[in-house]
Amino acid sequence: MEALKNVKPTIDELRLLIGAVDGTFSREVLAFSLLAHGFTKGSVIEIVGSGKTEFLTQFLAENKNLRVAWIEPEITIYPFAFLQRDVDLSRILFVEAENDNTWVTLQILQAQIFQVVALSYLSFDERALRKIQLAAEKSQAIVVLLNKEKMKSWVPSLQVRVERPTKNDLRIETLRKRG
Amino acid sequence: MRVVCILFRTPTPLQEIGEILFRLSPQIAIRDKEAIFMEIEQCKKLYSEQSILLRLTSLIRRLKLDATVLVSDDPPSALALSRFRNREKSDLPVSTLEDFACPFKYDELVIKDCEKVIWALDRLGIKTLGDFLKIPSQTLASRFGQLGGLLYRRLQDAKNLPWPKFIPLEKVVERMDWGHELSCDTIDSIFFYIKTLLDRVLLRLFGRGERLLTFQIKFEFEKHSLLKTLERKWRFELNLPHGSTKNILPIVRERICFDLNQKPLEALVNAMELRVIETAPSCLAQRDLFHPKREEEQEAWNNLVTRLTQKLGKEKIFCAKPIESYLPERNWTYHMTEKVLATPKPSIPFPQRPMRLFKKPVQIQFTGESITIGPQLSKVIQYWGPEVLSGESWEKPFERIYYRVLADTLEHFWIFQEEGVFYAHGVFD
């Protein structure tokens, strides 16, 4: 029993090893007025609901230095709406990915020039999502999945539902927060 | 004056090498099939003599050339000294007077006269240029004629020689012929040569202050094969200009490999040609020492956009910019530039526009308090409006009455009425 104890460290010991206790392992967080804990760099975030794009746009308007890649299977986003919400269009690259969404996303993350990668209505399998998560960690980019309904995947570290009950209000509910 | 002379020992395309060197100095001259001269005194604030020698040596190694590089005070001295390395100018043999007679161009008549002077000097026992300079200058004209005096003056000082003008070729084309015995049949050997061609083309363009935008690669097959067409061509249109082989080669490789997998080579490749079709001006300014990362980011941006464009198509990758139009779907346009320019915020306070706009407005049906958009039936809870948009009377006049509608699914639709029919135009997502 004593020998087994030596081989198998406790959870606290493991946390200490990865620096989770003293905070050395903690990642940089970008502040966001609508979300107390902000968005963590190098993480995969999922936003669902009827106010998801508005919510992300608000984040981009507050963080003006971020370069954004906006990937959709078919472009439905209205660039003029970004301008109205104080987001400069010159820092957004729009990509219509069709069937090559995993390849396109990985290429963009590997280029390491975008701090935010928005994947709007794109479907990925678990394996592809894991690849994207690793690439996001490496490039320290925030990958935001904009979906109609919540995915059944363990990859997103933060899942938020944003609804719009009135003209100007957003109702935000954190469904999952890990780390 | 300080002059670099690059003396080639094997036949080399000097015009192309001259274009590559154009970035180092604008004063370049070519001696037929043999040497290139470059004046570097005027550029001494940009680089030292030592650094230019290192650059040239590395360039010669990179292009796999057989040449010697030497710096001297004037073109004929540099040429003569590079023929006989490790010697002083005064120790050079009198046969090098030919280089002083016509340093930039091989002139047969002048060389014949010069040979007579050399023969006469030999008869007098004068073996070196140092000995020649010891002859009293007053006696030169009577002993060796007009050429003797000219050679004497050039030996003392040839700095004021007029240099022929160097004009870069109008079209940039690089070609490689191997002949039948060395023909290529594998993809790897072909790419080895494509890299060399691409390297040379980009160096030439860099020398001219340009970057590559569109080019064509042509394979020429052996002439005695039974094929109907003896060549195969690929045209590459890069979305943004490039100046590095590292970025272009993967794109070329991907495309040619894909095509060769679909339709393999039917005969041996005997020759290859890379032709530049379109270029873009390159920034010749000095590097930004305070923000060195900016250049790297720009290169990464260009590389990414080009890779995505090659795979998805030109229209699928874009930046957007606003344009003046009364129609909501027409008030922005695609554009792609290298430099990121801030777009101005619209000055007129429009009511808020939806985040998503349908590609084409979808016709909708109202049934009492319900709304049917496509297959979806929703109940209308609240609406805001109207906002009337009209205009373009000079082209295709329109008048649309817009409303923002909140459905029971908490979705906000942007709908409009035109000629009595309702359409959904977008979603406040």
Side-chain angles (χ1 to χ4, degrees), chain A residues 103-113 135 138-139, chain B residues 304:
Chain A
W103 182 84
V104 170
T105 311
L106 290 173
Q107 288 292 323
I108 285 173
L109 286 168
Q110 282 157 10
Q112 303 198 356
I113 43 177
K138 203 175 171 190
S139 65
Chain B
L304 174 75

Side-chain angles (χ1 to χ4, degrees), chain B residues 178 182-194 219 253 256-257 260 265 267-269 272:
Chain B
W178 302 287
L182 295 164
S183 308
C184 292
D185 56 348
T186 62
I187 288 178
D188 284 332
S189 56
I190 285 170
F191 278 103
F192 179 75
Y193 290 116
I194 289 181
F219 290 177
R253 195 182 185 104
I256 293 183
C257 278
L260 292 183
L265 290 174
L268 295 173
V269 180
M272 199 182 284

